[in-house]
Amino acid sequence: MKAFVVDKYSKNGTLRLAEMPEPKLGDSDVLVEVHAAAVNLLDSKVKTGEFKLILPYRRPFILGHDVAGRVVRVGSKVRKFKRGDDVYARPRDGRIGTFAEFIAMDEADVALKPGNLSMEEAASIPLVGLTAWQALIERANLKRGQKVFIQAGSGGVGTFAIQLAKHLGATVATTASAASAGLVKGLGADVVVDYRKDDFEKVLSGYDVVLNSQDAKTLEKSLNVLKPGGKLISISGPPDPDFAREKGLNMVLRLVLRLLSRGIRARAKRRGVTFSFLFMWAQGEQLSKIASLIEAGAIRPVVDRVFPFEATNEALAYVETGRAKGKVVIKVR
């Protein structure tokens, strides 16, 4: 099968289009014919080796974390899916590889595709949908009437998280350029801060939850937006000791991550708020719940551009510019 692979970690290198063996099917796996795959900043970070200590892949490996496609074969223990089912998923770490014609995934990571979405639209959902779900519902326990600040509202996670937060009944603030203000307001944002001319920490205060997706400076300023008892959840780092334990990392890495996050954890504690790092995980059951929300019209996908499979490197380069509004998708077939 054709696939785009990482041969070596590099900031400037590109993926190689290669002929790779079709994935082996485990007893609990479904083999999916890939129709579409989405591109995420995570793909770029994995390609450059930024996560190689916590996500050690043996090169060459196939890149890609989002998929929509059709089941063509199932393992002997699979009970939830059958041949011909249209599905979508974010395969678990260690088993990524959606920039390919086929992928084998554990059935626990997979869900039936929302019936009202195309393959391209469905492929745009899993990683950002699960990130927003796990941050706002699992970690923040966001409730009706609470206030949440979601950074970078026009990005992949932002466009989904705004809609989910509104569905939960929260008041939503976000940052966006003036050109993107209409988009994020249309998704449900109540307060839009133009990051090019206003400083959000001077505009916002008394928030229950902040979903941070930006740099260390923005993370620091986010503390000032929260009220006592508030929650600062970061998907861009730094990783904390809880993450190190969940990943089962060795003692040296645990110590390194403890030191990396010590400053922000201490400052959060002094302000009476909690800090936590979220690295989303594959979860088919949550994707099924997300599919129900999409089919009910509570959430819609936001797709910026669709590239042909052959232009996967161009799609990745476009995501790396940071200019995409919503998600960038690759049409495989």
Side-chain angles (χ1 to χ4, degrees), residues 28-271:
S28 299
D29 290 348
V30 294
L31 181 66
V32 173
E33 176 187 73
V34 179
H35 285 231
V39 185
N40 298 280
L41 269 177
L42 177 60
D43 297 307
S44 178
K45 291 179 179 181
V46 170
K47 181 193 75 156
T48 61
E50 191 173 324
F51 288 137
K52 63 185 177 184
L53 290 177
I54 56 176
L55 294 175
Y57 290 105
R58 177 188 269 174
R59 290 157 290 167
F61 64 91
I62 304 169
L63 198 60
H65 293 79
D66 272 322
V67 64
R70 186 159 292 155
V71 175
V72 292
R73 208 157 67 242
V74 300
S76 59
K77 294 182 180 176
V78 171
R79 297 293 176 265
K80 294 180 183 174
F81 304 99
K82 65 184 184 306
R83 187 179 178 201
D85 283 343
D86 287 345
V87 296
Y88 75 145
R90 191 290 205 193
R92 65 187 58 184
D93 293 323
R95 299 195 66 185
I96 63 168
T98 64
F99 297 168
E101 292 181 309
F102 296 93
I103 184 170
M105 298 176 285
D106 192 298
E107 73 166 333
D109 302 346
V110 180
L112 291 174
K113 179 183 79 66
N116 57 338
L117 297 189
S118 68
M119 288 289 189
E120 292 79 23
E121 289 170 328
S124 76
I125 297 290
L127 187 142
V128 297
L130 288 171
T131 300
W133 185 280
Q134 290 162 13
L136 299 181
I137 294 178
E138 303 275 310
R139 193 70 60 90
N141 194 23
L142 189 65
K143 294 281 194 291
R144 179 170 297 279
Q146 289 189 313
K147 292 165 62 178
V148 58
F149 171 41
I150 296 164
Q151 295 164 8
S154 66
V157 173
T159 52
F160 193 99
I162 288 170
Q163 295 179 84
L164 181 59
K166 286 308 293 182
H167 173 72
L168 295 170
T171 296
V172 181
T174 192
T175 46
S177 66
S180 298
L183 169 66
V184 296
K185 284 179 181 174
L187 296 173
D190 301 287
V191 180
V192 181
V193 180
D194 183 346
Y195 66 85
R196 288 180 175 158
K197 66 183 186 71
D198 294 317
D199 191 338
F200 70 79
E201 70 173 329
K202 294 175 181 173
V203 178
L204 308 175
S205 63
Y207 277 68
D208 299 280
V209 178
V210 173
L211 178 54
N212 175 76
S213 58
Q214 306 298 295
D215 57 18
K217 184 180 177 184
T218 305
L219 180 69
E220 192 78 29
K221 293 199 301 186
S222 295
L223 290 171
N224 300 324
V225 171
L226 289 162
K227 69 182 186 183
K231 297 174 182 176
L232 173 55
I233 300 164
S234 178
I235 59 173
S236 58
D240 58 10
D242 287 342
F243 168 75
R245 280 193 297 274
E246 288 165 10
K247 279 286 180 187
L249 302 180
N250 64 47
M251 290 306 295
V252 174
L253 282 176
R254 287 189 189 196
L255 180 60
V256 169
L257 296 191
R258 180 177 289 276
L259 291 172
L260 280 174
S261 62
R262 184 170 64 179
I264 189 67
R265 286 186 291 113
R267 286 187 286 279
K269 190 174 182 181
R270 282 199 298 271
R271 293 188 65 90

